[in-house]
Structure formats: structure tokens, C-alpha cells
Amino acid sequence: MTTENHTVTLTTAQAIIRWLANQYIEIDGVETRVCGGGFGIFGHGNVTCLGEALYNHRDELPVYRGQNEQGMGFAAAAYAKYHLRRRFMFASASAGPGTANLLTSAALAHANRLPMLMLCGDAFLTRLPDPVLQQLEHFGNPTLGVNDAFKAVSRFWDRITHPAQVINSLPAALNTMLDPADCGPAFIGLPQDVQGWTYDYPLSFFDKRVHRIRRQAPDMEEVVDAMALLKSAKRPMIIAGGGVQYSGAVAELTAFAEATGIPVVETIAGRANMTNDHPLNCGPIGVTGSDSANSIAEKADVILAVGTRLQDFTTGSWTAFAHNAKIVGINVGRHDAAKHMSLTVVGDAAICLASMDTDYKAPADWTAFAQDELKKWDAYVAENCKPGNRPNSYAQAIGVVNDLMDPRDRVVAAAGGLPAEVTANWKTLDIGTVDVEFGFSCMGYEIAGGWGARIAQAENEPDADTVVFTGDGSYMLMNSDIYSAVLTGKKLIICVLDNGGFAVINKLQNNTGNESFNNLIADTPTAVNQVGVDFEAHARAMGANAETVSNAAELGEAFRRAKEATNTSVIVMNVDPYEGWTTEGHAWWEVGTPHITTSDKVREAHVDWESSRPKQRKGV
């Protein structure tokens, strides 16, 4: 390596890592590296060149050895979510199947608008050794390969074909990942030969640079129009989405709601925008919501949708609101702000909310109605989570754990029935402590995401805990990051709630008139040897503390022991697949049901399901 005429000779891989190590961000007046390090599984496509570069920067950019590339991506997404998209981690995979394994986690990060940098091996640019190990050959297009699949699940995509290209590509990728409106995963394909090629890079390219997240001010004419519409409201409501936290707008949201008396409901991504005991926090909305929020939503005449993309679980497939209700979309992303012909206020949520005057007051009887609905819902949740009220249930486990959590402990859940149960029943103890991944509803995120969340949490709140809820189905899909957590000393508390298969989809199957089939293990005709999984023994084999409990009371005692432990703990409890569900709080959800069938039950269910369709808003 030589320096001459203000340049430095580096390989492509060395330049990438050196540049990353010199990128900083200012958070609350403190400068820190914007990249917290990364996750890597080395193979022939990334070990020799990128691995060499990472080794020489291992102190600045620590690399966590993954067990599965998909899990690495989930961990990186959870890390970014904890840091409210202001910091990210990279995931490095080899060429071929290693990189292909990242597709699902890239899609999760894209759906949830989360930054993640993928540095992945690619086929040789020269093509001299073609076809190489693990290469997919497209005879009519030799440039096409596995890495092109990431174009659909990345906000930024590039393939480096010359070392000089990183001078433009890396800043473009970082700008995308830090952009509030366009935030998402960035993919950079690195051909194996190009990784090792050298270039005389300008030394100034590697100067320390401090970034800040852009705060876009709204057009004040849009704010004036929004306030004019709001002041006409007799029954206003605020939907608070995940963008409220990413904007750092919790204080502005709370102040605006308190000044105007407008009830607030939360989306799944927006859980923990307000604490459970705030009198204007009227519960989660939508398909997995609360009776309180949904009863407010169906009567509201003006809806302020703040920092939400209004997905179908929030809107009840657009049946949750009256046909004539007006929507004000407050969002930094124009695409999200304008959904369903909303009156748009495009800009940073904190600035937008602070720009709106508070002369308006919601009618007192409307605010009182909302608070009465909330009291009823709180009473239902208290009964729903009560131990012994029915066979073991998700809600009972959630209630026990919730009562034993410290305020800054973080809860993580994802696919299956648990996101709905956590969203509906969880009592938020502190702001920003709930991570329910339902943007992509991705099985396997739970434990891997918990590991990534704990890595981030340990940087700022080492004395807090990360608590994971997972079902047996997700556990079987991806559990190897229990070993990752043990190996790296990033303690998790993992509650495995075993209902004998994919019980929530069995419930949907039954609710649409279908017979149980291929979801619960007991109802799988090809499962001819009905054995159970010893989750406790399996977790112990990966180095975790583990125990099995019989009921909610024993779960509480086990959870206390896990809180005291320094190692990762796995607690296993069987739950009932049929009687354990939260039965209230749901909005309609559009699913495809058979229009013709030989089954009377399926036909009746189809008619019943379709009976709610007249409530659906059709794009306006």
C-alpha cells in the first residue's frame, strides 16, 4: 500500500471497509459510527479479499459470525430498528446460495423500511473461469445471476465492475439508507476478482464524515389545509405509526394530542409510541387491534394518519373507517402520505406536528367516549391475560411476562399468532420498547431479530433485557441464533410457546369453513410418526439455560430466574391451539375464499366473509 500525490492504493474490498469505518452520525449531539459493524459468513466469494479487509478493521467494525445468512439479515434489521434507522449493520455473504439466503431478510428490511447494507460475492467479471462454482448460467444473458434477484428487494442495488465505482456507489448507498423517505436495504455485488483489484483512491475519500438525518419541513399551505379540515371534525382520531418513532416525534405527538384532546390509536409498527397508562392512548387498531381503537375508527370523521403506510392490518383491508371519513396523511414519504386520496402533509412528523396549531379542541363528549371504550378494552385484556381463565394461552404468557418486565426491557415477536396476541394484549411500559415485525410477517425473525436487537441494546442499555416470544413453528424454522447469542454473550430471554404446529393458520383454515389440514402436526396425514420436539434439550445443546414449565405460574418463576441469569435462557410452555386465542378486538381482513365449493361449511363461511365487503373503501 503506497500513498502518493494525495492518493492511496487499495483493493476494492479494502476501500469499501476503510470508507465505512470513517462514516459517522450525530445522534443527540454525540458522534458515533453510523455502521455498527456487521454479520458475516465467509465463503470463497468473500473470504479472501473482503475478509482480509474486515480483519484489518475488526476493532472499528466488529464482525459477528452468523449461523445462517437469513438470520444475519434479520439481526441487522432488528439492530437498525432499535437505533430508529440512524445506525445500521452490514451482512456479508459468499457468492451463490450464501447470498441467496439473504433474499428473505432483504425483503423484510424493504417492507419495514429498514437500512441494511449487503456486501455479497459475485461471479468473476472477466468470466475467464466460467462457469464457476455455484454460478447460475443464463445462456442468453451472461450478466444475469443470483444477485440480480435483489433488485426487487433493495432500495439501492449496484454491481461493482471497476474499483473506482465505489467512490460513487458507497455514498449513494449510504444516502439511501439514511434517507427518511427512501430508507431501506442497499445491495452491493462484489465480483470475486474485482474485490482484489487495486486503484489509487483519493485520500480525501476516506476523510471522516459526520452525517445527520434530514428533517424535511412541510409545505405550510399543506399544513393550513390540514388544520382547516381538522377544525371541521366532530370525531377526530390520530393513527400513530412507526414513523413517529423514527422521526423522534413522540413528544410532539403527545403534546399535540394532549393540547387538542384527540384520541390516539397505534399501528403494529407504532406500538410503544405512548405508554399504556396515557389516557389518550386508546389501543392498537385494525385486524389485530382492540375494540376501543376500532370502535373509534369506525365513527371518526377526520383521521390524522401520522408516520404510517396504512397497510391492510391497520385499516382492516380498508373497512375500519367510514366511507365519508377524511384522511390527512402526515408522512415524510409522499407515496405513503397520499394513500386513499388523503390530504397530504409531506414532511418530517415532528416538524409537521409542531407546525400545526392547537387552537382546535376535540369535542369533550368524543374524547370521553374514546376513554370509556379504552376502559372497557383494558378490562377485557386484564381478564384475557388472567392465569387459569382457560387452558394455557398466548395471552396468559404475555400477561405474566409483561408484569415482570422492567420498563426498558424490549419485547420482540414476529410471524404466526404471537404478533396479534402481543399487539392486542401488551401493556407498553416505556416508549420504543416493542418490536413486533409484521411489515413482512416473517417467520424466523424472532430469535435472530432478538439477537440483533440485543447487540444494539447492549450498546446503550446493557442492564436491560431483550425478551423474545416465538411459537414452535418459527423456532423450528430458525433457531440457530440461540447459539449466536450464547457465543457472543448477548443474553436473550426466549419464551417458546408450543401449540403443536401452525395453529394460527389452522384457525384461519377453520374460520373459513375448511377442515384442519397440514397445519397442526396432529392433522398432517403424512406425519405418520407423531413425535414431539424437546425444545428444552435442543436449546441446552446450543449452550442456553433451558426449562419447561406447565402453566403461567411456573412461567413467572422461570422468567424471574431468567432475569437473574447472565446467559441466554429458553422457557418452553405448551399452549392450547384452539381455546387460547384473543377473540375480541379484530377488524375484517380480506382473504381469498372459494367462490364455488362442494362443502356447505366453506360456502357458508365465504358468504359470511364477503358480507363485510360493502364496508370496504375502494381507493378513496
Side-chain angles (χ1 to χ4, degrees):
M1 184 183 301
T2 61
T3 60
E4 188 175 320
N5 298 325
H6 305 292
T7 64
V8 58
T9 304
L10 297 170
T11 69
T12 303
Q14 290 163 357
I16 290 170
I17 301 307
R18 181 167 172 173
W19 184 86
L20 269 181
N22 284 292
Q23 305 307 303
Y24 286 75
I25 190 166
E26 182 181 298
I27 302 174
D28 300 328
V30 178
E31 293 179 6
T32 186
R33 280 190 177 84
V34 67
C35 180
F39 301 93
I41 294 178
F42 289 140
H44 69 278
N46 64 341
V47 67
T48 55
C49 295
L50 195 65
E52 184 263 354
L54 287 167
Y55 177 81
N56 290 322
H57 288 273
R58 60 193 181 279
D59 293 331
E60 305 100 310
L61 298 172
V63 179
Y64 290 86
R65 178 190 175 279
Q67 316 306 321
N68 179 298
E69 289 87 359
Q70 187 179 135
M72 295 190 325
F74 290 157
Y79 180 94
K81 188 180 288 191
Y82 175 91
H83 280 299
L84 301 176
R85 307 196 305 192
R86 295 177 293 186
R87 299 189 74 201
F88 68 89
M89 295 186 85
F90 64 81
S92 179
S94 184
T99 290
N101 280 344
L102 274 171
L103 272 167
T104 301
S105 43
L108 177 141
H110 191 287
N112 287 280
R113 319 286 172 84
L114 294 170
M116 172 176 67
L117 177 62
M118 291 167 282
L119 301 173
C120 297
D122 208 330
F124 289 91
L125 188 68
T126 64
R127 303 182 193 162
L128 291 175
D130 283 9
V132 298
L133 177 68
Q134 299 174 338
Q135 179 178 342
L136 298 184
E137 294 182 89
H138 290 269
F139 311 124
N141 184 354
T143 68
L144 189 63
V146 167
N147 289 359
D148 293 273
F150 285 84
K151 292 176 180 177
V153 291
S154 301
R155 290 285 190 171
F156 177 90
W157 188 96
D158 198 3
R159 175 181 284 123
I160 302 302
T161 59
H162 188 281
Q165 291 174 348
V166 302
I167 296 173
N168 292 318
S169 186
L170 290 174
L174 182 58
N175 288 337
T176 299
M177 290 189 287
L178 295 182
D179 188 282
D182 293 334
C183 183
F187 180 92
I188 298 180
L190 299 170
Q192 295 167 60
D193 46 4
V194 178
Q195 286 184 46
W197 291 354
T198 60
Y199 185 73
D200 294 339
Y201 291 94
L203 274 171
S204 59
F205 180 60
F206 304 104
D207 288 347
K208 175 182 176 181
R209 182 173 179 186
V210 180
H211 302 265
R212 295 175 183 84
I213 302 295
R214 180 185 305 108
R215 286 194 176 275
Q216 179 181 337
D219 185 320
M220 288 309 298
E221 291 187 9
E222 292 188 342
V223 174
V224 169
D225 289 345
M227 283 308 306
L229 178 58
L230 180 62
K231 288 178 179 180
S232 72
K234 296 181 174 58
R235 298 175 302 279
M237 175 184 75
I238 297 171
I239 301 177
V244 171
Q245 289 181 47
Y246 294 142
S247 167
V250 166
E252 288 79 4
L253 169 74
T254 305
F256 184 77
E258 290 175 346
T260 59
I262 300 176
V264 178
V265 302
E266 294 180 330
T267 69
I268 298 173
R271 291 293 270 124
N273 279 324
M274 297 176 114
T275 56
N276 184 72
D277 58 3
H278 195 287
L280 289 172
N281 181 0
C282 294
I285 187 173
V287 177
T288 61
S290 59
D291 287 341
S292 51
N294 288 334
S295 65
I296 295 165
E298 69 180 5
K299 295 177 177 61
D301 57 357
V302 176
I303 300 158
L304 271 64
V306 185
T308 171
R309 60 195 187 99
L310 294 174
Q311 63 126 291
D312 64 340
F313 261 59
T314 297
T315 66
S317 298
W318 290 98
T319 63
F321 316 123
H323 282 273
N324 60 354
K326 304 297 183 184
I327 302 173
V328 177
I330 300 176
N331 205 294
V332 73
R334 172 193 55 80
H335 174 77
D336 290 320
K339 284 175 179 171
H340 272 239
M341 306 291 287
S342 296
L343 191 161
T344 62
V345 181
V346 178
D348 175 80
I351 297 177
C352 291
L353 288 168
S355 300
M356 301 178 75
D357 70 65
T358 53
D359 292 341
Y360 170 80
K361 295 289 186 292
D365 59 345
W366 170 247
T367 304
F369 166 77
Q371 291 173 333
D372 286 343
E373 292 296 300
L374 175 61
K375 289 176 185 175
K376 290 186 231 176
W377 179 252
D378 284 344
Y380 172 79
V381 169
E383 181 60 33
N384 193 42
C385 295
K386 183 190 270 185
N389 61 358
R390 58 188 186 279
N392 287 350
S393 69
Y394 282 162
Q396 291 170 5
I398 289 165
V400 166
V401 169
N402 204 168
D403 288 343
L404 296 174
M405 295 273 275
D406 293 320
R408 290 304 306 165
D409 289 345
R410 187 172 186 83
V411 62
V412 178
L418 276 164
E421 297 292 318
V422 171
T423 298
N425 294 290
W426 192 260
K427 297 177 293 186
T428 299
L429 305 177
D430 207 345
I431 301 300
T433 55
V434 178
D435 177 0
V436 176
E437 193 291 297
F438 222 57
F440 204 54
S441 181
C442 202
M443 290 176 66
Y445 175 84
E446 298 90 340
I447 296 171
W451 180 42
R454 179 57 195 155
I455 291 171
Q457 184 188 51
E459 295 171 352
N460 294 344
E461 303 171 289
D463 295 330
D465 280 308
T466 296
V467 178
V468 172
F469 282 107
T470 184
D472 53 303
S474 282
Y475 183 102
M476 292 297 291
L477 181 81
M478 188 171 294
N479 53 62
S480 58
D481 286 310
I482 294 174
Y483 180 59
S484 301
V486 172
L487 202 63
T488 58
K490 304 303 181 187
K491 172 193 168 184
L492 299 175
I493 301 175
I494 302 168
C495 299
V496 181
L497 303 178
D498 182 0
N499 55 26
F502 305 139
V504 72
I505 296 301
N506 180 72
K507 179 164 75 86
L508 177 61
Q509 197 171 46
N510 293 164
N511 287 348
T512 53
N514 289 282
E515 299 298 324
S516 293
F517 171 62
N518 207 53
N519 285 312
L520 296 178
I521 294 169
D523 299 316
T524 300
T526 54
V528 295
N529 185 18
Q530 296 274 318
V531 296
V533 176
D534 190 339
F535 293 106
E536 177 185 339
H538 186 266
R540 285 187 185 277
M542 289 188 283
N545 302 340
E547 56 183 302
T548 302
V549 300
S550 300
N551 52 51
E554 291 182 7
L555 173 62
E557 293 303 315
F559 191 81
R560 290 185 180 92
R561 288 189 287 272
K563 288 283 286 178
E564 293 297 319
T566 57
N567 189 26
T568 290
S569 295
V570 175
I571 307 168
V572 184
M573 186 174 82
N574 289 339
V575 295
D576 193 280
Y578 296 105
E579 297 185 44
W581 303 104
T582 297
T583 56
E584 301 296 327
H586 304 307
W588 187 70
W589 184 39
E590 181 168 0
V591 295
T593 55
H595 286 226
I596 60 170
T597 176
T598 59
S599 167
D600 291 340
K601 287 201 306 180
V602 172
R603 185 182 303 107
E604 290 166 5
H606 168 73
V607 172
D608 180 62
W609 211 278
E610 289 295 309
S611 67
S612 293
R613 188 173 295 281
K615 297 170 61 179
Q616 191 174 47
R617 293 166 62 115
K618 295 177 175 62
V620 295

